[in-house]
Amino acid sequence: IDKRLILFLVIGVANLHALIQPQTTFFSNYGYLKSSTLSLLRSEESSVTVLQASVINDLEKQKQKKTEDTLRFSGELTFTSDSLPNAKSQDLIRFLTGDDCRRLLLGSGGTRFVEALPKSSKLQHMWTTTAQKSSGLVVENDNLHEQKEVEYYITDTIVKFPGLTLTNTVVNGFTVIDNKEGSSPKCVSMLIGESRKVSGQKGLVWIFNKLTGDDGAKKRGEEYSKPQAGVVTHSSVVETKDGTPTFQVNVKFQVLINCPKAFIRFLPVSKTRMESQGSSAIERAMSKDFEKAVKGVRAGFMKWYSSS
């Protein structure tokens, strides 16, 4: 999941006669948002060479025609922890807004290492511009683009495909929004940047870099590029019908892939079906990680509460 691997693998499958298998995943806001991808079960060097020529040819034609189409993958999910009948809402809020909790949220319940980044004007700019362009994912009244008290974290994820190993580093901004209506505050995290390192079969690496634009970013010396997926999560403390407090996480995602119309003909299914199946696959993959995150947050709170 990136401009993600969908476009790369769709074209790869079409040209290498590989079997299509929805499976791994887009990078998430807190570590990686997994994507609907396609597995390459066969890859011959001669086929890769032919594919390289095909990609170059299609890219040149695209420059001349200047016609593009867009694949859109999007969704919204909500996760709620088991209730905490003996806990007080103010204690849950204290934990929710602390550093330990945000690391559990961004690190899939503590299963991935999360590293804090020192604040900088560049990271603040990345946060502001991403917030301004994420109108469909953020709550307008939150005014995220005006937030100055933002912490930044990076998380690495390694995804292996036949012939390729992808290491994806994502940068998330994390801030606390005080609710003006007097209800409890909420934590907002947003994917603001990413970088990728790919290794493996030379031909496939070349194709991947061409299709994702990573070769251009390297030439410009960019440490983190603009994320090609929009991901925003809202974490808060809510009460069940009987008044018992729980943790709740809401996540919205959107991936827009602009690609030459010539590439659309390589899709093994219709564009509409690809978007629907891809969005569903992303949701299924994200569910596994966010369920771990919510369980990890609850367990982390119980440990914190018992020692405080």
Side-chain angles (χ1 to χ4, degrees):
I1 244 182
D2 239 347
K3 201 167 190 176
R4 299 253 187 212
L5 302 174
I6 287 185
L7 182 58
F8 164 68
L9 293 173
V10 164
I11 297 173
V13 168
N15 283 273
L16 300 178
H17 309 289
L19 179 64
I20 296 168
Q21 170 87 27
Q23 124 177 340
T24 333
T25 53
F26 276 82
F27 306 113
S28 133
N29 154 304
Y30 59 88
Y32 62 84
L33 172 56
K34 292 188 171 183
S35 86
S36 161
T37 62
L38 304 170
S39 292
L40 297 178
L41 299 185
R42 298 178 59 231
S43 176
E44 299 178 3
E45 193 67 43
S46 59
S47 297
V48 171
T49 302
V50 172
L51 180 55
Q52 286 178 318
S54 175
V55 170
I56 293 175
N57 185 49
D58 281 336
L59 290 175
E60 289 301 321
K61 288 182 179 179
Q62 177 59 24
K63 289 179 181 179
Q64 297 174 4
K65 295 182 179 179
K66 295 183 179 180
T67 56
E68 288 190 338
D69 206 342
T70 302
L71 292 172
R72 182 189 300 269
F73 305 90
S74 61
E76 179 176 1
L77 298 165
T78 299
F79 305 86
T80 305
S81 72
D82 292 338
S83 61
L84 293 155
N86 297 321
K88 297 180 180 179
S89 293
Q90 56 265 36
D91 290 327
L92 271 69
I93 293 170
R94 282 177 57 202
F95 180 74
L96 178 70
T97 55
D99 184 70
D100 289 345
C101 184
R102 64 191 62 178
R103 289 176 181 273
L104 291 170
L105 288 168
L106 296 172
S108 188
T111 60
R112 299 190 190 93
F113 178 72
V114 178
E115 180 182 353
L117 291 176
K119 293 183 179 181
S120 68
S121 57
K122 183 176 182 179
L123 288 172
Q124 181 64 46
H125 176 72
M126 291 165 61
W127 168 271
T128 301
T129 55
T130 302
Q132 291 172 337
K133 296 178 180 179
S134 302
S135 58
L137 302 177
V138 301
V139 178
E140 185 176 352
N141 292 339
D142 287 347
N143 296 318
L144 291 184
H145 63 285
E146 298 179 359
Q147 290 292 325
K148 301 301 181 183
E149 296 300 319
V150 183
E151 303 293 334
Y152 303 98
Y153 300 86
I154 59 172
T155 306
D156 286 344
T157 301
I158 298 176
V159 183
K160 293 186 178 181
F161 299 94
L164 282 179
T165 296
L166 175 67
T167 300
N168 189 70
T169 300
V170 295
V171 184
N172 287 282
F174 196 101
T175 191
V176 178
I177 304 294
D178 291 321
N179 197 308
K180 296 180 180 179
E181 281 84 32
S183 57
S184 61
K186 60 184 176 182
C187 298
V188 180
S189 58
M190 181 167 59
L191 177 65
I192 63 171
E194 65 187 6
S195 65
R196 289 180 291 271
K197 294 180 181 179
V198 62
S199 60
Q201 189 178 9
K202 185 176 180 180
L204 291 177
V205 170
W206 181 90
I207 294 167
F208 178 90
N209 288 333
K210 283 294 182 182
L211 295 178
T212 60
D214 284 357
D215 55 341
K218 292 175 182 177
K219 290 178 181 178
R220 293 190 296 271
E222 297 176 356
E223 184 176 7
Y224 301 111
S225 60
K226 179 177 67 175
Q228 297 176 15
V231 192
V232 178
T233 65
H234 293 79
S235 306
S236 58
V237 174
V238 299
E239 293 185 351
T240 60
K241 293 181 179 179
D242 63 1
T244 303
T246 63
F247 291 110
Q248 186 175 89
V249 178
N250 174 268
V251 57
K252 294 181 181 180
F253 70 88
Q254 177 174 273
V255 182
L256 300 178
I257 301 177
N258 296 318
C259 57
K261 286 186 176 180
F263 285 175
I264 299 298
R265 71 174 184 267
F266 290 113
L267 293 176
V269 295
S270 69
K271 176 187 173 185
T272 300
R273 189 176 179 187
M274 170 65 76
E275 291 174 330
S276 175
Q277 291 181 340
S279 297
S280 296
I282 295 170
E283 289 182 349
R284 289 194 300 271
M286 290 178 66
S287 294
K288 297 178 182 179
D289 285 333
F290 274 105
E291 286 168 2
K292 291 180 182 178
V294 171
K295 289 180 180 178
V297 168
R298 186 182 187 278
F301 169 77
M302 295 298 291
K303 182 179 179 180
W304 172 85
Y305 186 73
S306 63
S307 61
S308 62

